[in-house]
Amino acid sequence: MSTDVTAAHPYRPAVLAGGLAFVSGALSVDADYVPVAGRQEALDAAAERMAERLATVGGTLADIVKLTYYVTDLSLREEANRQLERLFAEARPARTFVEVSRLPYGATVEIDAIAQVRGDSTAPVA
Ligand SMILES: CC(=[NH2+])C(=O)[O-]
């Protein structure tokens, strides 16, 4: 999936502050902002886009300490739990999981994150 990390938005995909990376919410949409269909596919799309945003400040999934999931259907929680196990194994981040009435572009999932970016990152903020 191509990304929107360089697209024009009035916010940055991720911001470094005090050794932490704050990742803007990543939606389950494709490169044309069309909502990704399918429960697992939507979760995976949002996670992939969140990881791309984190990468703009040199972070990886291994750096994540907190996730927040916003979903339009709370019954996605079981699939989201399996996704977390798949992506993070034992290195489990903290998480908040909430149902919301609507998300931008008709997406069904949005994920944001806080990460502790390690190492000597020289990645520019996009
Ligand atoms: C999609 C998103 N992060 C926003 O703030 O609209």
Side-chain angles (χ1 to χ4, degrees):
M1 176 187 300
S2 59
T3 77
D4 73 336
V5 294
T6 58
H9 293 294
Y11 53 86
R12 285 186 271 178
V15 175
L16 283 175
L20 297 175
F22 297 85
V23 182
S24 293
L27 298 164
S28 58
V29 294
D30 68 15
D32 297 318
Y33 293 90
V34 175
V36 172
R39 296 166 65 90
Q40 194 62 58
E41 291 83 356
L43 285 163
D44 288 346
E48 185 178 330
R49 297 183 76 235
M50 180 274 294
E52 291 169 351
R53 289 177 165 211
L54 177 56
T56 66
V57 291
T60 70
L61 290 181
D63 300 323
I64 292 174
V65 294
K66 172 75 197 302
L67 291 166
T68 303
Y69 281 65
Y70 308 88
V71 299
T72 57
D73 180 351
L74 198 60
S75 75
L76 281 169
R77 190 162 176 265
E78 287 306 316
E79 281 109 315
N81 286 348
R82 287 196 291 276
Q83 178 185 61
L84 226 61
E85 289 167 1
R86 195 173 69 247
L87 294 178
F88 296 97
E90 294 307 311
R92 296 179 183 178
R95 186 186 74 180
T96 299
F97 195 88
V98 295
E99 183 180 275
V100 296
S101 58
R102 294 176 68 204
L103 289 166
Y105 305 104
T108 55
V109 180
E110 182 170 13
I111 303 174
D112 68 25
I114 301 172
Q116 189 164 33
V117 177
R118 290 173 277 232
D120 180 23
S121 169
T122 54
V125 174

